[in-house]
Amino acid sequence: MAAHSNIVGGSTAKRVIACPGSVKLAQQMPPRPSSRYADEGTLCHSIMEGVLAHECQPEDFIGDKLGDVTVTAELIETKIRPALEALDLIDPGREMTYECEATVGFGDALPNVFGSADLVGRIGSTAIVLDWKFGDGVDVAVEENPQAMFYAAAAMRTPKVAWAFKDATSIDCIIIQPTADTPVKVWRTTPDRIRAFERQLFAAVKEAMGPDPSMQSGDHCRWCAAKPVCPLLTGAVDRTLKTSLQNIDAARLGEMLEQAPMIEEYLASVRALAEQMLAEGVPVPGFKLVQKRATRQWVNDDEAQAALSRLGLDDTELMVAKLVSPAQAEKALKKRKLALPGELAVAVSSGTTLAPESDPRPAALQIGRQLATALGKIV
Ligand code: SF4
């Protein structure tokens, strides 16, 4: 796996610029264990590098493992092939010269600040900085994306790939995210814009290394390792908890609910840290790790089926044939480049849930109450 700077890297650039005080706090935290999603991402990145830089075929990697993740033909079909097809859209004439998985940094201008750029290249007078995103989660925007700008700024200063920027008049920051609604996103910017970002980054790192760096909470807190010990978050949680429930009016309730995602994320990070410490043998007073509820599973499916047949169970008792869900059918059809006929499925909500006013979904009708109000007006 690529090494990471413990000051700032591509994925932390946004947070460090917004909250320079987070750097020293995050440095005190234990390294986070890898996750299944991170391992899958690492495997996908090395397959892309193998294909693009070493003329391997994606199938050569089937069976490779990292942690609990194994490269399967399905992974190749759902993530690697679409990523390669997306690259063909960007460079249909195969004109691009490029370097994959380049370690890029700022040299003596900003010591120990570096990252690994997935692909740095050049087509005509345009430099390319490309990032593969193999996660299934949030659709990542590319415009003014601090991670992309970090790699572009670092690559411009890295002798091994600086050729891509020599006399370039534009820089294309590209995100290829095979499972996103828009799998290819391109933001064309200029060397001047990247240099302006670099000044902002340098100022934030300088402040972070100084005596009293500023702190600011916001959506950049989401991936901050220092969340469980962050004074801004613990302060906000404290203030919310100390509010007397008897005296809360609706307006104050709304304000408190706005804090809810931040508090939930804070609590999740505290739980994750406690679990990590316990797993590493560090006692957390009052808590222990226990096994999750066990569910029985067949030791061997074929042997179990044969044994149960011998005991007299017929196929209708042994096997459950179930129609796949609309989402699963849609995924299967997508592979055949077909759309799910709209009239086959209907979205049924299981009930109402609380959402902020800004949520794009319309407010749910409280039919009983609104009907009673309407009838009340008639009578
Ligand atoms: S949780 Fe947010 S406010 Fe706290 S240190 Fe991290 S980025 Fe800064």
Side-chain angles (χ1 to χ4, degrees), residues 6 52 103 199 210 256 291 305 320 358:
N6 74 345
L52 296 174
T103 300
R199 285 193 289 278
M256 288 171 72
Q291 292 293 342
Q305 189 182 349
V320 183
S358 57

Side-chain angles (χ1 to χ4, degrees), residues 5 8 14 27 57 83 85 127-128 132 146 149 175 178 181 203 255 260 268 278 289 309 351 363:
S5 164
V8 58
K14 179 178 175 183
Q27 285 172 345
Q57 293 300 314
E85 283 163 16
I128 311 275
W132 312 111
M149 288 196 278
I175 291 177
D181 290 342
E255 279 168 31
L278 285 165
L289 288 181
S309 295

